[in-house]
Amino acid sequence: MRSNERLCLYKSNSEMSRSPSFSLKSEQSPKLDPESLQQWIVAFCIIRFDLEQGQLIEECYPPNTLTQDEELEIAYSSFPDSVSQYHNRSSIHDCMFFFRFRRCHKSNPMNGSSSEISEVSHRAGSSETFNKNISKTLPRSSQSDSRYMYGFVFNRQRHDERLKRGGEQKSVVILSHSPFSSVFRPLLQIMGPLYFDIGKKALEHIAAYVSLWPSPTPGRLMELPIGNAALKVNLPPAYSLPIESGMSIEEALTSMAPLLPTNQSVPQGLFHDSDIFGVFRGILLQLWVLWELLLIGEPILMIAPTPPQCCEAVASLVSLVAPLLCSVDFRPYFTIHDPEFAHLNSIQEGNAFPPMILGVTNLFFLKSLRGIPHIVSVGSPSPHSNRLPFSSKPTGRIPGRPEGLGVQQPLSLKKFSPSNLLNVVKLRREGPLCLMTEHKEAIWTTYSSITKPDTSILNRLIDAGLSPRVEESMSVVNNEILRRHFLELTTNFLAPFGPYFRAITPSEGTSPFVDPPPLPPFNIDEFLRSLSARGPGKFLSKRMKSNWIDLYRRFLKGHNFMPWFQRRRAVAEQEQQRIWKQARMKTDIQEFISKMSEVEVVDSFNSIEKHIRGETQMQESGEGSKDSAATCSKLRDDLRVVFNVLPRDMQELLVMNPETAALLDVPR
């Protein structure tokens, strides 16, 4: 290849993806810390497509981190589906996408399997059973017991007439337990080209730099040095991450979604950097249908011509329900080689399809997964569409559209006007199998949506005309408009559940040493009856049909409700414990017991002793808070004060217990 041609191609790709500038420092790269690396990344893989043997993993760094089954699944998922790709003659063809797969071993994260969640949801009618289920202790999690893994792929197709079939394919893959697309996209843009320049050394250098990064801090802006560059990224908040993504339970419960954030630069859910406008531009009026389908946990097949487009569509759809914890199994790029395909393919027509979002490029799925009730087709099959990465900066450019200068104007809604009703009817009559002959952007579903499309939001969107230079910045604005609207829509939809997460503070005259009262019990029938009587609120009543209560019924039965409700209840209980603990620390014990009867003083003694033991156990297990030592010291002082006001015979009776005597430092 001519050197100037290669430079031109690299320039084209970097302009599209806005790759961060990077070069290795002249000094020796830092030493790899495997334990620190695991906080971010499981492994780096180099996979080659061999014409005789198929997909082969050439390198896996660090070694011995994956099982053979995992290596096989990763290898199959790391290449564009040749059946559905546009064949072109460009010398170098790069694309980026990501996939998600279930790990081979079993674990018990909070987000149970679809059958587990469904079983709990369906028997949740009684208040007693329901509250018993939601009050279960949330399990601790670690990177090793994560149920899913994410693979972020930089794929290069090189055309060379001297090779068999005129070219070769290789993929650089970053594997992680965490869906941190805002980190791994720009990292891939550095690492992919670097590997093809210097080989395996690129993996070692990048791994060493990543192992120097601080621990991930969900919901925060982080600056992550990499060579002479630095990635400035926002991580998704803890409440949007499933327990199985490797967080500790303390991290998962550190924060709750705000009612409505004012700072739009702070992410409120997964894939906050996805390009909603760009990928769904052809079917914008259907966004409200898609929002409902994901909200209630319906299975969806997302079809696009290329892996970058289908994974962007799945990521954008997941981002629509923020700040709700999305517990539906989503697969940004799903292939027939996935071990779960055999099960899905065996589902008989008429049987329920599991709640999943499958992003696919192979049209074979239209015939094999006939049981999936909702099919969405997005993207463009143009020659350059596969070059569009799932970019670190959203781009609203329509692939294949001619370039030129244009003016900023409101997005035209002509394509959504009643005059096109005949086309809609024709598409519905033909069904999704019409995609076998021609790709079209459309949705096929029998679901009747309750939420009305907000045309005032669509009318605010900007069309940059034909200018690609203006299009990207306009797409950023459009994405903010759409994301803000759906964030507000989801937040208002979840608002009626707020009273069940409200922590109760100690009232005046109440002892802070007793156990706090339980949170309000939740009963589905009572909730729906009460909500139906008072209405959905001003925001939703303007945007939903008269049967809006049906959407709540479906949500309560769906896959997303129970994990989200459990997480929010756990956060509220933790917050209530913190408030009551703070009240105990501020209590003047001498004044507090001065007006008590002897029986009340004894009860206070027992309560304080119980709290001391609880704090001590947490300290010994390594689960104690930073102020556990100070809390124990204060409680032991309070215990001695209470002990000293008790009658002599009661004191003698209490110190007969050696553990109590030890807490009081009383010799026996």
Side-chain angles (χ1 to χ4, degrees):
M1 186 192 307
R2 297 190 303 272
S3 60
N4 61 339
E5 182 182 10
R6 182 179 179 185
L7 286 172
C8 179
L9 285 165
Y10 271 119
K11 182 179 180 182
S12 173
N13 284 339
S14 66
E15 284 176 350
M16 268 191 307
S17 59
R18 299 291 189 264
S19 302
S21 60
F22 173 79
S23 65
L24 289 172
K25 294 182 177 179
S26 56
E27 65 265 23
Q28 189 175 4
S29 64
K31 185 179 179 181
L32 174 68
D33 181 348
E35 188 173 338
S36 296
L37 179 67
Q38 286 286 313
Q39 294 182 112
W40 292 92
I41 289 171
V42 175
F44 300 102
C45 290
I46 305 300
I47 306 171
R48 175 173 59 87
F49 184 81
D50 186 275
L51 292 177
E52 297 177 354
Q53 301 180 62
Q55 293 87 338
L56 297 176
I57 294 186
E58 290 188 338
E59 301 283 352
C60 186
Y61 187 83
N64 305 318
T65 52
L66 303 168
T67 67
Q68 286 187 345
D69 288 340
E70 287 172 344
E71 287 186 352
L72 186 62
E73 185 162 359
I74 291 162
Y76 276 124
S77 300
S78 298
F79 290 94
D81 191 336
S82 59
V83 173
S84 59
Q85 297 307 301
Y86 183 95
H87 298 283
N88 63 70
R89 310 294 287 177
S90 61
S91 297
I92 291 182
H93 183 78
D94 294 340
C95 72
M96 292 168 55
F97 55 94
F98 75 109
F99 58 89
R100 180 181 190 245
F101 68 94
R102 195 188 303 270
R103 301 209 69 180
C104 300
H105 58 268
K106 295 181 180 179
S107 62
N108 296 301
M110 184 182 74
N111 301 47
S113 67
S114 57
S115 58
E116 290 168 346
I117 296 296
S118 298
E119 183 183 355
V120 173
S121 296
H122 287 305
R123 66 170 184 253
S126 73
S127 176
E128 182 180 353
T129 304
F130 186 82
N131 284 286
K132 183 178 179 181
N133 287 323
I134 62 175
S135 61
K136 289 177 182 178
T137 303
L138 298 179
R140 293 189 62 80
S141 180
S142 66
Q143 297 283 19
S144 61
D145 66 12
S146 181
R147 291 176 68 223
Y148 292 94
M149 194 183 294
Y150 300 82
F152 296 83
V153 182
F154 182 98
N155 172 260
R156 172 162 291 183
Q157 300 175 7
R158 184 169 66 89
H159 173 70
D160 190 335
E161 295 290 355
R162 295 169 298 179
L163 300 175
K164 285 184 180 180
R165 295 193 185 178
E168 67 172 5
Q169 281 196 74
K170 261 192 182 183
S171 289
V172 179
V173 185
I174 297 175
L175 296 167
S176 176
H177 295 294
S178 303
F180 296 155
S181 57
S182 59
V183 176
F184 300 127
R185 295 180 186 199
L187 186 61
L188 261 184
Q189 291 170 330
I190 292 172
M191 185 177 176
L194 186 65
Y195 169 78
F196 288 105
D197 278 346
I198 67 173
K200 183 183 176 181
K201 287 183 179 179
L203 310 186
E204 298 170 355
H205 285 301
I206 298 293
Y209 282 115
V210 172
S211 71
L212 294 179
W213 291 355
S215 300
T217 309
R220 298 290 179 87
L221 175 66
M222 300 193 73
E223 187 166 329
L224 308 172
I226 187 85
N228 68 331
L231 307 179
K232 291 186 178 180
V233 297
N234 279 299
L235 297 188
Y239 56 76
S240 71
L241 298 171
I243 295 292
E244 39 93 337
S245 51
M247 289 186 305
S248 68
I249 185 62
E250 290 78 13
E251 289 176 311
L253 303 183
T254 50
S255 63
M256 295 171 67
L259 290 179
L260 193 63
T262 55
N263 187 355
Q264 285 297 289
S265 64
V266 178
Q268 301 302 321
L270 295 181
F271 311 122
H272 57 275
D273 53 348
S274 61
D275 185 10
I276 300 173
F277 174 74
V279 75
F280 291 122
R281 183 168 184 169
I283 53 171
L284 284 175
L285 266 182
Q286 307 300 329
L287 282 179
W288 287 264
V289 178
L290 295 175
W291 174 79
E292 279 192 31
L293 292 175
L294 183 55
L295 188 74
I296 63 179
E298 284 286 305
I300 301 172
L301 183 67
M302 188 76 68
I303 300 177
T306 66
Q309 290 175 349
C310 77
C311 77
E312 189 74 14
V314 172
S316 296
L317 181 55
V318 170
S319 75
L320 282 185
V321 295
L324 176 69
L325 171 68
C326 180
S327 298
V328 171
D329 182 7
F330 60 91
R331 306 299 179 91
Y333 179 51
F334 189 77
T335 73
I336 59 174
H337 301 290
D338 192 291
E340 293 185 53
F341 171 68
H343 165 66
L344 298 177
N345 191 36
S346 67
I347 297 175
Q348 298 296 318
E349 195 167 346
N351 292 343
F353 204 89
M356 302 178 76
I357 308 173
L358 301 179
V360 304
T361 61
N362 193 337
L363 297 178
F364 172 72
F365 284 103
L366 288 172
K367 295 182 177 180
S368 61
L369 302 183
R370 291 180 180 271
I372 199 161
H374 316 289
I375 297 175
V376 184
S377 173
V378 297
S380 166
S382 70
H384 300 295
S385 61
N386 201 40
R387 282 195 179 190
L388 287 174
F390 57 110
S391 58
S392 56
K393 289 188 177 182
T395 170
R397 196 172 157 197
I398 303 177
R401 187 172 180 175
E403 298 183 9
L405 295 176
V407 294
Q408 300 173 26
Q409 55 189 355
L411 184 69
S412 172
L413 296 180
K414 287 183 181 179
K415 64 179 71 176
F416 312 123
S417 65
S419 62
N420 284 306
L421 183 59
L422 288 176
N423 290 334
V424 174
V425 172
K426 183 181 177 183
L427 272 176
R428 183 172 296 180
R429 186 176 63 247
E430 291 177 342
L433 287 177
C434 70
L435 297 174
M436 303 291 288
T437 55
E438 181 186 3
H439 184 80
K440 302 172 183 178
E441 294 180 280
I443 177 171
W444 289 269
T445 178
T446 57
Y447 178 80
S448 180
S449 64
I450 293 171
T451 312
K452 296 177 284 189
D454 195 328
T455 53
S456 66
I457 293 296
L458 295 176
N459 286 329
R460 289 171 55 195
L461 302 180
I462 303 297
D463 189 350
L466 301 178
S467 171
R469 291 175 297 178
V470 181
E471 188 97 32
E472 182 170 331
S473 61
M474 289 302 98
S475 186
V476 171
V477 173
N478 290 339
N479 280 323
E480 287 181 356
I481 292 171
L482 290 170
R483 187 161 278 116
R484 172 78 180 185
H485 169 74
F486 282 99
L487 177 63
E488 195 171 4
L489 187 61
T490 308
T491 303
N492 278 276
F493 179 81
L494 299 176
F497 297 96
Y500 300 98
F501 312 132
R502 196 167 293 147
I504 302 169
T505 58
S507 58
E508 188 175 348
T510 303
S511 171
F513 296 102
V514 300
D515 290 331
L519 296 176
F522 183 85
N523 177 275
I524 289 178
D525 294 333
E526 290 178 4
F527 170 79
L528 290 173
R529 191 162 44 247
S530 172
L531 181 60
S532 181
R534 69 176 183 269
K538 190 174 180 181
F539 184 88
L540 292 183
S541 61
K542 291 180 178 179
R543 293 166 173 82
M544 290 188 174
K545 299 174 184 176
S546 58
N547 60 336
W548 57 268
I549 197 70
D550 290 340
L551 186 58
Y552 279 95
R553 287 196 182 95
R554 293 167 185 164
F555 175 63
L556 289 166
K557 292 178 182 178
H559 195 69
N560 286 318
F561 171 68
M562 181 63 73
W564 170 77
F565 197 91
Q566 282 181 319
R567 177 81 65 90
R568 291 296 300 260
R569 290 281 279 202
V571 170
E573 287 170 356
Q574 187 186 63
E575 175 64 11
Q576 185 163 275
Q577 292 291 346
R578 186 194 66 79
I579 291 171
W580 284 66
K581 180 178 178 179
Q582 194 176 55
R584 289 192 287 271
M585 293 294 286
K586 292 180 178 179
T587 298
D588 184 335
I589 193 66
Q590 196 78 50
E591 181 182 346
F592 180 71
I593 63 174
S594 62
K595 300 175 184 179
M596 285 184 174
S597 65
E598 183 178 325
V599 174
E600 291 174 326
V601 173
V602 173
D603 287 342
S604 296
F605 182 92
N606 292 332
S607 295
I608 295 171
E609 184 180 13
K610 176 182 161 186
H611 288 302
I612 294 173
R613 297 195 194 287
E615 287 287 344
T616 303
Q617 288 175 0
M618 290 183 68
Q619 280 185 303
E620 291 173 351
S621 65
E623 298 179 3
S625 59
K626 296 177 182 178
D627 58 353
S628 284
T631 301
C632 281
S633 177
K634 166 70 164 59
L635 290 175
R636 291 185 71 166
D637 290 342
D638 289 349
L639 191 70
R640 295 187 191 98
V641 171
V642 176
F643 179 79
N644 289 334
V645 301
L646 291 171
R648 182 76 179 176
D649 58 339
M650 181 60 70
Q651 291 180 348
E652 291 175 353
L653 183 63
L654 290 171
V655 296
M656 290 178 66
N657 184 329
E659 293 180 355
T660 303
L663 289 176
L664 294 166
D665 294 329
V666 175
R668 298 184 67 238

